[in-house]
Amino acid sequence: MLLDSQTWNFFAWDKNERLKSKGVLADDFMDLSTKARYISFGQKKLRMPLVLSNKGYAIGVAAGSTVLFCNVRTYGQYIYTQGTGQIDYYFIYDENQERNIEQYRNLPV
């Protein structure tokens, strides 16, 4: 869904799926189970937000500003961005989470 300078991309994550967001530090991961959290790094261009699944995939959100991740079924399961009229995603698949993170680090910013 697109509205002004905002985007919402809705997902249907399984309630048994464990999702985490990559933080700024190398070993920094935030649990996203049944939570709504900002996963962007503010207005700084440090790294693109990354969502990791225990099902062997990762989603890189190529956004230049605010990114909100919502995994609360009552509100909907979505990734929200602000400040852009469109959004691009990188879908990475490898059953090894470390290789997913390595591929993410090699993506262009």
Side-chain angles (χ1 to χ4, degrees):
M1 184 168 88
L2 303 171
L3 179 64
D4 298 325
S5 297
Q6 303 170 82
T7 68
W8 290 264
N9 193 350
F10 293 91
F11 294 87
W13 288 294
D14 184 334
K15 67 180 178 179
N16 296 322
E17 188 169 358
R18 297 292 162 239
L19 299 165
K20 295 182 179 183
S21 174
K22 178 76 179 80
V24 176
L25 302 175
D27 295 331
D28 186 19
F29 295 94
M30 177 174 43
D31 181 29
L32 298 173
S33 302
T34 64
K35 294 182 176 134
R37 297 278 189 262
Y38 285 101
I39 60 171
S40 55
F41 300 102
Q43 297 291 332
K44 299 178 183 176
K45 286 208 164 227
L46 295 174
R47 239 182 248 138
M48 81 173 74
L50 180 73
V51 175
L52 293 159
S53 171
N54 67 330
K55 293 195 174 196
Y57 70 89
I59 302 171
V61 184
S65 59
T66 303
V67 177
L68 174 72
F69 177 93
C70 183
N71 193 16
V72 180
R73 291 181 182 271
T74 304
Y75 303 119
Q77 297 171 301
Y78 60 86
I79 295 176
Y80 163 84
T81 65
Q82 183 178 349
T84 183
Q86 70 177 37
I87 193 66
D88 291 322
Y89 295 92
Y90 291 95
F91 292 92
I92 305 166
Y93 178 78
D94 193 310
E95 291 189 21
N96 182 303
Q97 183 172 330
E98 290 303 317
R99 285 194 295 258
N100 280 335
I101 293 169
E102 184 62 33
Q103 291 180 42
Y104 157 75
R105 287 186 179 129
N106 292 323
L107 291 173
V109 179

